[in-house]
Amino acid sequence: MGCQNMTGFVDLYSEGGTFLHRIDARVKIVAVLFLSVLAFLLSNVYSLTLLLAFIFILLFLARASLSRTWFALRFVIRFMVLIVVLWPIFDPSGTPVWATFGPVKITEPAVWRGVTSAVRVGCLACVWYILMFTTSQRDLVRALVKMGLRFDFGLALAISLRFLPTFSATIDSIKDAERARGMELDKGSLLKRSRNYVAILVPTIVSALRSADTLSLALHSRAYGARADRTYLREPKMRRQDAAALSVVIALLVVPVFFKFVLGVPL
Amino acid sequence: MIPCPTADEGPIAAMRNVDFSYDDGTEALHSVTLDVWRGEHIALVGGNGSGKTTIAKLLNGLLRPSRGHVLVKGNDAAKESVAALSRTVGYAFQNPDHQLFCSTVAEEVLFGPKNLGFADAKAVEKADRALSLMSIGHLKDKAPLSLSLGDRRRVSVASVIAMDPEVLVLDEPSTGLDAGEAAELMRALDGLNQEGKTIILITHEMRLVAEHSERVLVMAHGHVVLDCRTRVAFSEPEALHESGLIPPAAIQLAHRLSDFGVSPEVLTVDELAEEVAKVWGARI
Ligand SMILES: Nc1ncnc2c1ncn2[C@@H]1O[C@H](COP(=O)(O)OP(=O)(O)OP(=O)(O)O)[C@@H](O)[C@H]1O
Ligand SMILES: [Mg+2]
């Protein structure tokens, strides 16, 4: 049960044939970086909302399923609500003052700053979500290696991603083993319960280290590291539509930067 | 031990029309109904993926039925935690590496009895008995996961025996043991059965079934397809063949020799030898 959820949690990728799925992963990585930079550069709540709307259109074009999106982003939404609520409480600057509760002063600009930050967080989360959900982990790692990441780091990254579900399955099986031998995991005082969870964590880490050991044997026994230069079965190639997408992405960053910093438009 | 179901005592564990599906939708069991009586020595057999492990996990609450009921000592298991059920139904996992998590064998075997609330002296006594039953007393201070597969398997079985449950469910306990070790393990289980423990042995080794179990439950594709005395099960090898099970050599040979007057109802090599000697003696 837990295992399934965890698997969904660690690998957001869902197969699909949309334009956003097919586009070169390197372009997508650049796009995500650019859009993230843009989200930080924009400080006007309207332009940020426009950016969020644009990202929602992308989500729609990628045919993101509503339930999966909700599942992946529900923590982000809670976080956004928290920002809107807490920002004005801790930021008393500016006028007009809307309300005063003892030492706490709620001002209009502070509320807007809270909303702006929340929208920014939403933009960032959605942009990265689109990348994870339209790109398989394998393509992602391959793109990073093509972009200059050392191959062994890429492999390490791929393996860690691959082992996350295994790791959570290990946690489940250790829990089962302990419950089957009379351990009440969720009973007792808070202290006792946290001790119970340490009793799960330690064997899980030991088991992870053991499997890392086995894994390195398995890699070496299949001639990993025998040659410094490797060949690849599939070489990612930039196609015409990838180049087109890349220029759109560049424009997306350059145009607002030009307006904001050269022309002084308050974006 | 031959079970003696009495009117006032129902089955010690039972399943009633149990369906079970895993989260990914795999339907592992279809309407499984079975009774386990106190003191029985049952073999649960069937091809890979037929649902044996699923049944074992349902009996001790690690899995909960999608439909139907699991009864332990007459009570609905749905109302009880795994920890509470483990007092009655002990389960030795199919993969010992999924079961072992302590840093020494002694701790591993003590873990269960301590959780069940036995006083220290009593818990140590139970643990020591389990260790000696599995002849692994000398491994007490070793790290469980550093042992050989055979020893890991025995630690995992010992850790369940130490909890002294009335029903012992052992998921392929002889896998990875050499013939001598397997025979020793089976002797230990038979001893516990003599003392009144109920044994449910999941295994692919038909020879162990023929020699040790008095009742066989055959699974195929999530259904119980045969539930009868061992002797009866092996006297009709067709039903077994359909489930992908092949009787041990002694029984096959007895069937081949039945035309010559050898009884096909033998189970062990000793019984076959006796039968053959009888027929042979009559001939001379
Ligand atoms: N965690 C799981 N998630 C999804 N499906 C599972 C899971 N565990 C088992 N199954 C499936 O349920 C069915 C029954 O599995 P089960 O483990 O009970 O079989 P088994 O009889 O113990 O087999 P084996 O002899 O290989 O141990 C199989 O089809 C199996 O693939
Ligand atoms: Mg199994």
Side-chain angles (χ1 to χ4, degrees), chain A residues 1 177-178 180-183 210, chain B residues 23 86 99 108 111 115 145:
Chain A
M1 184 177 109
E178 300 193 344
R181 277 196 272 148
M183 178 122 154
R210 279 175 67 87
Chain B
D23 280 345
S86 69
Q99 189 171 2
E108 194 71 65
F111 186 87
N115 277 324
L145 290 174

Side-chain angles (χ1 to χ4, degrees), chain A residues 1-4 173-184 187 199 202-203 206-207 210, chain B residues 23-24 60 62 81-84 86 93 98-101 108 111-112 115-116 145-146 159 163:
Chain A
M1 184 177 109
C3 173
Q4 268 242 313
S173 80
I174 287 170
K175 265 190 191 166
D176 276 356
E178 300 193 344
R179 290 191 305 152
R181 277 196 272 148
M183 178 122 154
E184 305 265 12
K187 243 187 184 172
V202 172
V206 171
S207 150
R210 279 175 67 87
Chain B
D23 280 345
D24 63 358
N60 79 339
L62 284 173
S81 69
V82 180
S86 69
F93 286 36
H98 287 170
Q99 189 171 2
L100 305 175
F101 50 83
E108 194 71 65
F111 186 87
N115 277 324
L116 294 184
L145 290 174
S146 69
S159 71
M163 294 164 68

Side-chain angles (χ1 to χ4, degrees), chain B residues 53 94 171-172:
Chain B
T53 298
Q94 178 163 359
D171 205 339
E172 303 191 17

